[in-house]
Amino acid sequence: MAELKPVYLVHGDDDARIDAWRLRLRRRAEAERGPGGLEAFEGAASSPEQVAASLSALTFDTGSRYLLVDDAGAWKAADLGPLEAALKEPDPQTVLVLIVRGKPLKQLVKLAES
């Protein structure tokens, strides 16, 4: 199996494909970690700072940890600093998936490419 990247950005206007991607992630997280294995955030209700804090939270669990931000397109570029800082040295066991309906911010694209 291919090694997972620390950040994935899923974006576009194809709602069915985005929903299928989200479902595959949820199934994988629950298969590996059990029910509730996916930590989910809503971009409109959760700030990049809150997601960054969750990324750096220590856990005693083994294996991959999955975080999903639905509607990361609600975030403003000026607020992404804490998330960018948290991802400078990502935990190799943590995977962050950002979902943006439509066109993503350049900073989110850059996070996913680094």
Side-chain angles (χ1 to χ4, degrees), residues 55-99:
L55 280 170
S56 57
L58 296 177
T59 68
F60 294 107
D61 291 339
T62 58
S64 296
R65 184 171 160 230
Y66 300 93
L67 285 79
L68 169 71
V69 179
D70 210 343
D71 192 21
W75 290 342
K76 305 285 187 243
D79 298 332
L80 294 176
L83 188 60
E84 291 169 336
L87 291 170
K88 284 191 192 267
E89 294 184 35
D91 178 353
Q93 297 290 9
T94 301
V95 178
L96 173 63
V97 177
L98 305 167
I99 294 180

Side-chain angles (χ1 to χ4, degrees), residues 9-76:
L9 175 62
V10 180
H11 63 92
D13 295 321
D14 189 338
D15 290 341
R17 288 185 76 176
I18 290 173
D19 291 343
W21 219 101
R22 185 189 312 107
L23 181 60
R24 282 193 308 273
L25 175 65
R26 183 174 303 284
R27 286 183 179 158
R28 180 178 184 147
E30 289 181 354
E32 291 180 18
R33 300 179 60 83
L38 178 63
E39 296 176 52
F41 299 87
E42 286 293 325
S46 301
S47 70
E49 186 174 8
Q50 290 171 309
V51 175
S54 186
L55 280 170
S56 57
L58 296 177
T59 68
F60 294 107
D61 291 339
T62 58
S64 296
R65 184 171 160 230
Y66 300 93
L67 285 79
L68 169 71
V69 179
D70 210 343
D71 192 21
W75 290 342
K76 305 285 187 243

